[in-house]
Amino acid sequence: MISKTMEKELNAQINKEIYSSYLYFAMAAYLKSQNLDGAAHFMQEQAKEEIGHAMKMYGYVNEQG
């Protein structure tokens, strides 16, 4: 079991990770529209990584009850 403060802070970090993912996807879309496919792919991979971070923390928070 984690404290309410820790739960609050972890949830805030989860939101930051998801928001970062959104920004990377937005950059990827722009780069793709400029025919910069390699850079767009890089940004998409970064977005996936941020989602991965969020999901790890999400899993941890849920395991704690």
Coordinates of all heavy atoms in Angstrom, one line a residue:
M1 N 0.8 -1.2 0.0 CA 0.0 0.0 0.0 C 0.9 1.2 0.0 O 1.9 1.3 0.7 CB -0.9 0.0 1.2 CG -1.9 1.1 1.3 SD -3.5 0.4 1.1 CE -4.5 1.8 0.9
I2 N 0.5 2.2 -0.8 CA 1.3 3.5 -0.9 C 0.4 4.6 -0.2 O -0.8 4.5 -0.2 CB 1.7 3.8 -2.3 CG1 0.5 3.9 -3.2 CG2 2.7 2.8 -2.9 CD1 0.8 4.4 -4.6
S3 N 1.1 5.6 0.2 CA 0.4 6.8 0.8 C -0.4 7.5 -0.3 O -0.1 7.4 -1.5 CB 1.4 7.7 1.4 OG 2.2 8.4 0.4
K4 N -1.3 8.3 0.2 CA -2.2 9.1 -0.7 C -1.3 10.1 -1.5 O -1.5 10.4 -2.6 CB -3.3 9.8 0.1 CG -4.4 8.8 0.5 CD -5.1 8.2 -0.7 CE -6.2 7.3 -0.2 NZ -6.8 6.5 -1.3
T5 N -0.3 10.6 -0.8 CA 0.6 11.6 -1.4 C 1.4 11.0 -2.5 O 1.5 11.5 -3.6 CB 1.6 12.2 -0.4 OG1 0.8 12.8 0.7 CG2 2.5 13.2 -1.0
M6 N 1.9 9.7 -2.3 CA 2.6 9.0 -3.3 C 1.7 8.7 -4.5 O 2.1 8.8 -5.7 CB 3.3 7.8 -2.8 CG 4.0 7.0 -3.8 SD 5.4 7.9 -4.5 CE 6.6 7.8 -3.2
E7 N 0.5 8.2 -4.2 CA -0.5 7.9 -5.3 C -0.8 9.2 -6.1 O -0.8 9.1 -7.3 CB -1.8 7.4 -4.6 CG -2.8 7.0 -5.7 CD -4.1 6.5 -5.0 OE1 -4.2 6.4 -3.8 OE2 -5.0 6.3 -5.8
K8 N -0.9 10.3 -5.4 CA -1.2 11.5 -6.2 C -0.1 11.9 -7.1 O -0.3 12.3 -8.2 CB -1.5 12.6 -5.2 CG -1.8 14.0 -5.8 CD -1.9 15.1 -4.7 CE -2.0 16.4 -5.4 NZ -2.0 17.5 -4.4
E9 N 1.1 11.8 -6.6 CA 2.3 12.2 -7.3 C 2.6 11.2 -8.5 O 2.9 11.6 -9.6 CB 3.6 12.2 -6.5 CG 3.5 13.4 -5.4 CD 3.4 14.7 -6.1 OE1 4.0 15.0 -7.1 OE2 2.6 15.6 -5.5
L10 N 2.3 9.9 -8.3 CA 2.5 8.9 -9.4 C 1.4 9.2 -10.4 O 1.7 9.1 -11.6 CB 2.4 7.5 -8.8 CG 3.6 7.0 -8.1 CD1 3.3 5.7 -7.4 CD2 4.8 6.8 -9.0
N11 N 0.2 9.5 -10.1 CA -0.8 9.8 -11.0 C -0.5 11.1 -11.8 O -0.7 11.1 -13.0 CB -2.2 9.9 -10.4 CG -2.8 8.6 -10.1 OD1 -2.6 7.6 -10.8 ND2 -3.5 8.5 -9.0
A12 N 0.1 12.0 -11.2 CA 0.5 13.3 -11.8 C 1.6 12.9 -12.9 O 1.6 13.5 -14.0 CB 1.0 14.3 -10.8
Q13 N 2.5 12.1 -12.5 CA 3.6 11.7 -13.4 C 3.1 10.9 -14.6 O 3.5 11.0 -15.7 CB 4.7 10.9 -12.7 CG 5.9 10.6 -13.6 CD 6.6 11.8 -14.1 OE1 6.7 12.8 -13.3 NE2 7.1 11.8 -15.3
I14 N 2.1 10.0 -14.3 CA 1.4 9.3 -15.4 C 0.8 10.2 -16.4 O 1.0 10.1 -17.6 CB 0.4 8.3 -14.9 CG1 1.0 7.2 -14.1 CG2 -0.5 7.8 -16.0 CD1 0.1 6.3 -13.3
N15 N 0.2 11.3 -15.9 CA -0.4 12.3 -16.8 C 0.7 13.0 -17.6 O 0.5 13.3 -18.8 CB -1.2 13.3 -16.0 CG -2.6 12.7 -15.6 OD1 -3.2 11.9 -16.3 ND2 -3.0 13.1 -14.4
K16 N 1.8 13.3 -17.0 CA 2.9 14.0 -17.7 C 3.5 13.1 -18.8 O 3.8 13.5 -19.9 CB 4.0 14.4 -16.7 CG 3.6 15.5 -15.8 CD 4.7 15.8 -14.8 CE 4.2 16.8 -13.8 NZ 5.1 17.0 -12.7
E17 N 3.6 11.8 -18.5 CA 4.1 10.8 -19.5 C 3.1 10.7 -20.7 O 3.6 10.7 -21.9 CB 4.3 9.5 -18.9 CG 5.3 9.4 -17.8 CD 6.7 9.5 -18.2 OE1 7.1 9.4 -19.4 OE2 7.6 9.7 -17.3
I18 N 1.8 10.7 -20.4 CA 0.8 10.6 -21.5 C 0.8 11.9 -22.3 O 0.8 11.9 -23.6 CB -0.5 10.2 -20.9 CG1 -0.5 8.8 -20.4 CG2 -1.6 10.4 -22.0 CD1 -1.7 8.4 -19.6
Y19 N 0.9 13.0 -21.6 CA 1.0 14.3 -22.4 C 2.2 14.4 -23.2 O 2.2 14.9 -24.4 CB 0.9 15.5 -21.4 CG 0.9 16.8 -22.0 CD1 -0.1 17.2 -22.8 CD2 2.0 17.7 -21.9 CE1 -0.2 18.5 -23.4 CE2 2.0 18.9 -22.6 CZ 0.9 19.3 -23.3 OH 1.0 20.5 -23.9
S20 N 3.4 13.9 -22.7 CA 4.6 13.9 -23.5 C 4.4 13.0 -24.8 O 4.8 13.4 -25.9 CB 5.8 13.4 -22.7 OG 6.1 14.3 -21.7
S21 N 3.7 11.9 -24.6 CA 3.5 11.0 -25.7 C 2.6 11.8 -26.8 O 2.9 11.7 -28.0 CB 2.7 9.8 -25.3 OG 2.4 9.0 -26.4
Y22 N 1.6 12.5 -26.3 CA 0.8 13.3 -27.2 C 1.6 14.3 -28.0 O 1.4 14.4 -29.2 CB -0.3 14.0 -26.4 CG -1.0 15.0 -27.2 CD1 -2.0 14.7 -28.1 CD2 -0.7 16.4 -27.0 CE1 -2.7 15.7 -28.8 CE2 -1.4 17.3 -27.8 CZ -2.4 17.0 -28.7 OH -3.0 18.0 -29.4
L23 N 2.5 15.0 -27.3 CA 3.4 15.9 -28.0 C 4.2 15.3 -29.1 O 4.4 15.8 -30.2 CB 4.2 16.7 -27.0 CG 3.5 17.6 -26.0 CD1 4.4 18.2 -25.0 CD2 2.7 18.7 -26.8
Y24 N 4.8 14.1 -28.7 CA 5.6 13.4 -29.7 C 4.8 13.0 -30.9 O 5.3 13.1 -32.0 CB 6.3 12.2 -29.0 CG 7.6 12.5 -28.2 CD1 7.6 12.1 -26.9 CD2 8.6 13.1 -28.8 CE1 8.8 12.4 -26.2 CE2 9.8 13.4 -28.1 CZ 9.9 13.0 -26.8 OH 11.0 13.3 -26.1
F25 N 3.6 12.5 -30.7 CA 2.7 12.1 -31.8 C 2.4 13.3 -32.6 O 2.3 13.2 -33.9 CB 1.5 11.4 -31.3 CG 1.6 10.0 -31.1 CD1 1.2 9.4 -29.8 CD2 2.1 9.1 -32.0 CE1 1.4 8.0 -29.6 CE2 2.3 7.8 -31.8 CZ 1.9 7.2 -30.6
A26 N 2.2 14.5 -32.0 CA 1.9 15.7 -32.8 C 3.1 16.1 -33.6 O 2.9 16.5 -34.8 CB 1.5 16.8 -31.8
M27 N 4.3 16.0 -33.0 CA 5.5 16.3 -33.8 C 5.6 15.3 -35.0 O 6.0 15.7 -36.1 CB 6.7 16.3 -32.9 CG 6.8 17.5 -32.0 SD 8.3 17.5 -31.0 CE 7.9 16.6 -29.6
A28 N 5.3 14.1 -34.7 CA 5.4 13.0 -35.8 C 4.5 13.3 -36.9 O 4.9 13.2 -38.1 CB 5.1 11.6 -35.2
A29 N 3.3 13.8 -36.6 CA 2.3 14.1 -37.6 C 2.8 15.2 -38.5 O 2.7 15.2 -39.7 CB 0.9 14.4 -37.0
Y30 N 3.3 16.3 -37.8 CA 3.8 17.4 -38.6 C 5.0 17.0 -39.5 O 5.0 17.3 -40.7 CB 4.3 18.5 -37.6 CG 5.0 19.6 -38.4 CD1 4.3 20.5 -39.1 CD2 6.4 19.7 -38.4 CE1 5.0 21.5 -39.9 CE2 7.1 20.7 -39.1 CZ 6.3 21.6 -39.8 OH 7.0 22.5 -40.6
L31 N 5.9 16.2 -38.9 CA 7.1 15.8 -39.7 C 6.6 14.9 -40.9 O 7.2 15.0 -42.0 CB 8.1 15.0 -38.8 CG 8.8 15.9 -37.8 CD1 9.5 15.1 -36.7 CD2 9.8 16.9 -38.5
K32 N 5.7 14.1 -40.7 CA 5.1 13.2 -41.7 C 4.5 14.1 -42.8 O 4.7 13.8 -44.0 CB 4.1 12.3 -41.2 CG 3.6 11.3 -42.2 CD 4.6 10.1 -42.3 CE 3.9 9.0 -43.1 NZ 4.9 8.0 -43.5
S33 N 3.8 15.2 -42.4 CA 3.2 16.1 -43.4 C 4.3 16.8 -44.2 O 4.0 17.3 -45.3 CB 2.3 17.1 -42.7 OG 3.0 18.1 -42.1
Q34 N 5.5 16.9 -43.7 CA 6.6 17.6 -44.4 C 7.5 16.5 -45.1 O 8.6 16.9 -45.6 CB 7.5 18.3 -43.4 CG 6.7 19.4 -42.6 CD 6.1 20.5 -43.6 OE1 6.9 21.1 -44.3 NE2 4.8 20.7 -43.5
N35 N 7.0 15.3 -45.2 CA 7.7 14.2 -45.9 C 9.1 13.9 -45.2 O 10.0 13.5 -45.9 CB 7.9 14.5 -47.4 CG 6.6 14.5 -48.1 OD1 5.7 13.7 -47.9 ND2 6.4 15.5 -49.0
L36 N 9.1 14.1 -43.9 CA 10.3 13.8 -43.2 C 10.0 12.5 -42.4 O 9.9 12.4 -41.2 CB 10.7 14.9 -42.2 CG 11.0 16.2 -42.9 CD1 11.1 17.4 -41.9 CD2 12.3 16.1 -43.7
D37 N 9.9 11.4 -43.2 CA 9.5 10.1 -42.6 C 10.4 9.5 -41.6 O 9.9 9.0 -40.6 CB 9.3 9.1 -43.8 CG 8.2 9.5 -44.7 OD1 7.3 10.3 -44.3 OD2 8.2 9.0 -45.9
G38 N 11.7 9.7 -41.7 CA 12.6 9.2 -40.7 C 12.5 9.9 -39.4 O 12.4 9.2 -38.3
A39 N 12.4 11.2 -39.4 CA 12.2 12.0 -38.2 C 10.8 11.7 -37.6 O 10.7 11.6 -36.4 CB 12.3 13.5 -38.5
A40 N 9.8 11.5 -38.5 CA 8.5 11.2 -38.0 C 8.5 9.8 -37.3 O 7.9 9.7 -36.2 CB 7.5 11.2 -39.1
H41 N 9.2 8.9 -37.8 CA 9.3 7.5 -37.2 C 9.9 7.6 -35.9 O 9.5 7.0 -34.9 CB 10.0 6.6 -38.1 CG 10.2 5.2 -37.5 ND1 11.3 4.8 -36.9 CD2 9.3 4.2 -37.5 CE1 11.1 3.6 -36.5 NE2 9.9 3.2 -36.8
F42 N 11.0 8.4 -35.8 CA 11.7 8.6 -34.5 C 10.8 9.2 -33.4 O 10.8 8.7 -32.3 CB 12.9 9.5 -34.7 CG 13.7 9.9 -33.4 CD1 14.6 8.9 -32.9 CD2 13.4 11.0 -32.8 CE1 15.2 9.2 -31.7 CE2 14.1 11.3 -31.6 CZ 15.0 10.4 -31.1
M43 N 10.0 10.2 -33.8 CA 9.1 10.8 -32.8 C 8.0 9.8 -32.4 O 7.6 9.8 -31.3 CB 8.4 12.0 -33.4 CG 9.4 13.2 -33.6 SD 10.1 13.7 -32.0 CE 11.3 14.9 -32.6
Q44 N 7.5 9.0 -33.4 CA 6.6 7.9 -33.0 C 7.1 7.0 -32.0 O 6.4 6.5 -31.1 CB 6.1 7.2 -34.3 CG 5.2 8.0 -35.1 CD 4.9 7.3 -36.5 OE1 5.5 6.3 -36.8 NE2 3.9 7.8 -37.2
E45 N 8.4 6.6 -32.2 CA 9.0 5.7 -31.2 C 9.1 6.3 -29.9 O 9.0 5.6 -28.8 CB 10.4 5.2 -31.8 CG 10.3 4.3 -33.0 CD 9.5 3.1 -32.8 OE1 9.7 2.4 -31.8 OE2 8.6 2.8 -33.6
Q46 N 9.5 7.6 -29.8 CA 9.5 8.3 -28.6 C 8.2 8.3 -27.9 O 8.1 8.2 -26.6 CB 10.1 9.7 -28.7 CG 11.5 9.8 -29.3 CD 12.5 8.9 -28.6 OE1 12.7 9.1 -27.4 NE2 13.1 8.0 -29.3
A47 N 7.1 8.5 -28.7 CA 5.8 8.6 -28.1 C 5.4 7.2 -27.5 O 4.9 7.2 -26.4 CB 4.8 8.9 -29.2
K48 N 5.8 6.1 -28.2 CA 5.5 4.8 -27.6 C 6.3 4.6 -26.3 O 5.8 3.9 -25.4 CB 5.9 3.7 -28.7 CG 5.0 3.7 -29.9 CD 5.6 2.6 -30.8 CE 5.0 2.8 -32.2 NZ 5.6 1.8 -33.2
E49 N 7.5 5.1 -26.3 CA 8.3 4.9 -25.1 C 7.6 5.6 -23.9 O 7.6 5.1 -22.8 CB 9.7 5.5 -25.3 CG 10.6 5.3 -24.1 CD 12.0 5.8 -24.4 OE1 12.4 5.8 -25.5 OE2 12.7 6.1 -23.4
E50 N 7.1 6.8 -24.1 CA 6.4 7.6 -23.0 C 5.2 6.8 -22.6 O 4.9 6.8 -21.4 CB 6.1 9.0 -23.5 CG 7.2 9.9 -23.9 CD 8.2 10.1 -22.7 OE1 7.7 10.2 -21.5 OE2 9.4 10.2 -22.9
I51 N 4.4 6.2 -23.5 CA 3.3 5.4 -23.1 C 3.7 4.2 -22.3 O 3.1 3.9 -21.3 CB 2.5 5.0 -24.4 CG1 1.8 6.1 -25.1 CG2 1.5 3.9 -24.0 CD1 0.7 6.7 -24.3
G52 N 4.8 3.6 -22.7 CA 5.4 2.5 -21.9 C 5.7 2.9 -20.5 O 5.4 2.2 -19.5
H53 N 6.3 4.1 -20.3 CA 6.5 4.6 -18.9 C 5.2 4.8 -18.1 O 5.2 4.3 -17.0 CB 7.2 6.0 -19.0 CG 8.6 6.0 -19.6 ND1 9.1 7.1 -20.1 CD2 9.5 5.0 -19.9 CE1 10.3 6.8 -20.7 NE2 10.5 5.5 -20.5
A54 N 4.3 5.4 -18.8 CA 3.0 5.6 -18.1 C 2.3 4.3 -17.7 O 1.8 4.1 -16.6 CB 2.0 6.4 -19.0
M55 N 2.4 3.3 -18.6 CA 1.8 2.0 -18.3 C 2.5 1.3 -17.2 O 1.8 0.6 -16.4 CB 1.7 1.1 -19.6 CG 0.8 1.7 -20.6 SD -0.9 2.0 -20.1 CE -1.4 0.4 -19.6
K56 N 3.8 1.4 -17.1 CA 4.5 0.8 -15.9 C 4.1 1.4 -14.6 O 3.8 0.7 -13.6 CB 6.0 0.9 -16.1 CG 6.6 0.0 -17.1 CD 8.1 0.2 -17.2 CE 8.7 -0.7 -18.3 NZ 10.1 -0.5 -18.5
M57 N 4.0 2.7 -14.6 CA 3.5 3.4 -13.4 C 2.0 3.0 -13.1 O 1.7 2.8 -11.9 CB 3.7 4.9 -13.4 CG 5.2 5.2 -13.3 SD 5.4 7.0 -13.3 CE 5.8 7.2 -15.0
Y58 N 1.2 3.0 -14.1 CA -0.2 2.6 -13.9 C -0.3 1.2 -13.3 O -1.1 1.1 -12.4 CB -0.8 2.7 -15.3 CG -2.2 2.1 -15.4 CD1 -3.3 2.8 -15.0 CD2 -2.4 0.8 -15.9 CE1 -4.6 2.2 -15.1 CE2 -3.7 0.2 -16.0 CZ -4.8 1.0 -15.6 OH -6.0 0.4 -15.7
G59 N 0.5 0.3 -13.8 CA 0.5 -1.1 -13.3 C 0.9 -1.1 -11.8 O 0.3 -1.8 -11.0
Y60 N 1.9 -0.3 -11.5 CA 2.4 -0.3 -10.1 C 1.3 0.3 -9.2 O 1.1 -0.3 -8.1 CB 3.7 0.6 -10.0 CG 4.2 0.7 -8.6 CD1 4.8 -0.3 -8.0 CD2 4.0 1.9 -8.0 CE1 5.2 -0.1 -6.7 CE2 4.4 2.1 -6.7 CZ 5.0 1.1 -6.0 OH 5.4 1.2 -4.7
V61 N 0.7 1.4 -9.6 CA -0.3 2.0 -8.7 C -1.5 1.1 -8.5 O -2.0 0.9 -7.4 CB -0.8 3.4 -9.4 CG1 -2.0 3.9 -8.6 CG2 0.3 4.4 -9.3
N62 N -1.9 0.4 -9.6 CA -3.0 -0.6 -9.5 C -2.6 -1.8 -8.6 O -3.4 -2.2 -7.8 CB -3.4 -1.1 -10.8 CG -4.4 -0.1 -11.5 OD1 -5.1 0.7 -10.8 ND2 -4.4 -0.1 -12.8
E63 N -1.4 -2.2 -8.6 CA -0.9 -3.3 -7.8 C -1.0 -3.0 -6.3 O -1.1 -3.8 -5.4 CB 0.5 -3.8 -8.1 CG 0.6 -4.5 -9.4 CD 2.0 -4.8 -9.8 OE1 3.0 -4.5 -9.0 OE2 2.2 -5.4 -10.9
Q64 N -0.8 -1.7 -6.0 CA -0.7 -1.2 -4.6 C -2.1 -1.1 -4.0 O -2.2 -0.9 -2.8 CB 0.0 0.1 -4.6 CG 1.4 0.1 -5.1 CD 2.2 -1.0 -4.5 OE1 2.3 -1.1 -3.2 NE2 2.8 -1.9 -5.3
G65 N -3.1 -1.2 -4.8 CA -4.5 -1.1 -4.3 C -5.0 0.3 -4.2 O -5.8 0.7 -3.5

